[in-house]
């Protein structure tokens, strides 16, 4: 892969996408980034202290001035850029975290400790961006992921599924799944992806041979904050146990409340009556998908 070409395509796509009908249709207000950055009390505190410290930092030492300019530039970009999806707020999070820690500092030890916390916050933000690199994949952003069938749970629809053959060669079933929420959920939800066999797994005593459970975008986009109609995509990698006996395996997915494990009802889509509220998205014979 040519990294410069990849970067050019990504930047070109984002410029085009920011003025697309998909963005304009939802018409999120110019101040929406402030809502993403302050949807909990700790984050609101970081935002407030970060902005206050950024203004003061413009007239301070060289390092503080650089971080302050970074924070203010990121906030101005978020307010001016037409695309207002929540993951864009990660542009400003590292700078605001560093400045907020500096504002709270009292003495050298506290300053050092809080600066480390700010750096760790920056690392976490960068890792979140890297883990969610489907957002930086032009092929994915252009919504070229096939939609093999209609599927709908209570409050969310399947938008597309793409298998990644490279993962299959590495003893991992890898796929990208895109979702379209119809409304915010009343509580936090998690998605499950299960590999189910015809014979019981001696390690689990059930037909479950492998699984992945995850919150949307690694927890960066809670179901309670879903914007209706805005598509998001996640990548799932399911390990293939080396001791799988011969047979046909089902790959199923669905949603559940992570607090109590209650599954969200599946109203439409291919199902197996043995596994209620689980969508069958593929069948795997040892040796390949079909």
């Amino acid at each position: 892969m040519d990294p410069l070409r990849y970067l050019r395509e990504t930047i070109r796509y984002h410029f085009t996408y920011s003025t697309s009908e998909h963005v304009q249709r939802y018409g999120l207000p110019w101040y929406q980034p402030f809502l993403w950055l302050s949807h909990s009390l700790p984050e609101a505190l970081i935002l407030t202290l970060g902005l206050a410290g950024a203004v003061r930092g413009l007239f301070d030492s060289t390092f503080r001035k650089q971080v302050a300019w970074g924070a203010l530039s990121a906030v101005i970009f978020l307010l001016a850029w037409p695309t207002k999806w929540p993951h864009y707020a990660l542009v400003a999070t590292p700078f605001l975290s560093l400045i907020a820690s500096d504002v709270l500092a009292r003495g050298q030890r506290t300053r050092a400790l809080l600066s480390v916390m700010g750096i760790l916050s920056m690392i976490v933000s960068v890792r979140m961006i890297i883990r969610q690199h489907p957002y930086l994949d032009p092929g994915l952003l252009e919504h070229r992921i096939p939609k093999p069938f209609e599927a709908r749970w209570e409050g969310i629809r399947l938008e597309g599924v793409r298998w990644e053959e490279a993962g299959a060669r590495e003893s991992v079933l890898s796929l990208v799944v895109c979702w379209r929420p119809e409304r915010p959920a009343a509580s936090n939800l998690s998605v499950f992806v299960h590999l189910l066999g015809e014979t019981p797994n001696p390690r689990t005593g059930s037909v479950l041979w492998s699984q992945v459970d995850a919150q949307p975008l690694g927890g960066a986009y809670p179901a309670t904050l879903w914007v209706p109609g805005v598509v998001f995509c996640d990548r799932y990698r399911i390990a293939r146990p080396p001791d799988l006996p011969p047979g046909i395996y089902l790959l199923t997915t669905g949603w559940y409340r992570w607090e109590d494990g209650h599954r969200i009802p599946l109203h439409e889509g291919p199902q197996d009556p043995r596994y209620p509220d689980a969508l069958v998205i593929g069948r795997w014979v040892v040796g390949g998908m079909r």
Side-chain angles (χ1 to χ4, degrees):
M1 177 189 298
D2 181 354
L4 292 180
R5 178 176 174 274
Y6 185 82
L7 180 62
R8 287 194 302 270
E9 289 181 354
T10 301
I11 294 174
R12 188 183 304 115
Y13 172 81
H14 278 282
F15 271 106
T16 304
Y17 180 71
S18 66
T19 57
S20 67
E21 180 184 356
H22 185 240
V23 172
Q24 295 176 357
R25 184 166 68 246
Y26 296 101
L28 296 177
W30 63 270
Y31 55 83
Q32 184 66 44
F34 285 136
L35 303 182
W36 300 134
L37 290 167
S38 60
H39 73 274
S40 70
L41 183 59
E43 289 167 324
L45 179 63
I46 290 175
L47 176 63
T48 303
L49 294 177
L51 291 177
V55 174
R56 188 186 69 178
L58 294 177
F59 309 97
D60 213 317
S61 64
T62 301
F63 176 73
R64 287 193 180 90
K65 184 180 295 185
Q66 292 172 346
V67 177
W69 275 112
L72 294 176
S73 300
V75 170
I76 292 172
F77 164 77
L78 291 174
L79 297 177
W81 192 252
T83 311
K84 304 293 185 182
W85 307 151
H87 55 284
Y88 280 52
L90 291 174
V91 173
T93 302
F95 297 106
L96 293 173
S97 299
L98 283 170
I99 295 174
S101 68
D102 185 66
V103 171
L104 290 172
R106 294 292 184 269
Q108 292 186 351
R109 288 187 177 181
T110 308
R111 185 186 303 273
L113 176 61
L114 293 176
S115 295
V116 170
M117 293 173 61
I119 294 172
L120 290 176
S121 174
M122 179 177 65
I123 294 173
V124 170
S125 298
V126 171
R127 287 192 61 191
M128 289 172 64
I129 295 173
I130 293 174
R131 288 178 60 190
Q132 299 310 326
H133 68 270
Y135 276 110
L136 306 180
D137 180 347
L140 179 58
L141 288 168
E142 290 170 8
H143 303 295
R144 291 201 295 261
I145 293 190
K147 189 176 182 179
F149 38 71
E150 294 292 331
R152 182 175 66 88
W153 289 261
E154 189 175 290
I156 187 169
R157 289 181 175 272
L158 179 75
E159 188 65 20
V161 178
R162 182 179 70 188
W163 297 100
E164 298 184 320
E165 296 299 331
R169 291 194 295 269
E170 298 169 358
S171 298
V172 173
L173 294 175
S174 182
L175 69 155
V176 173
V177 182
C178 292
W179 311 95
R180 182 187 295 274
E182 296 177 330
R183 60 181 179 273
S187 59
N188 286 322
L189 303 180
S190 292
V191 65
F192 66 85
V193 182
H194 289 174
L195 183 66
L196 305 173
E198 298 174 316
T199 57
N201 181 346
R203 291 190 297 272
T204 64
S206 70
V207 294
L208 178 64
W209 285 84
S210 189
Q211 71 180 95
V212 169
D213 292 79
Q215 293 190 354
L217 302 185
Y221 191 28
T224 52
L225 298 179
W226 281 347
V227 179
V230 174
V231 176
F232 66 93
C233 304
D234 260 321
R235 177 175 280 106
Y236 308 106
R237 294 182 173 90
I238 304 96
R240 302 191 307 173
D243 56 346
L244 281 175
I248 299 176
Y249 294 81
L250 298 182
L251 197 68
T252 65
T253 188
W255 292 86
Y256 65 92
R257 293 197 302 255
W258 67 268
E259 294 96 339
D260 57 13
H262 174 76
R263 287 194 176 185
I264 306 303
L266 176 64
H267 297 311
E268 181 181 0
Q271 302 182 59
D272 187 303
R274 295 172 295 177
Y275 314 117
D277 298 319
L279 178 74
V280 177
I281 55 176
R283 288 176 170 81
W284 181 67
V285 181
V286 177
M289 291 296 303
R290 73 176 188 181

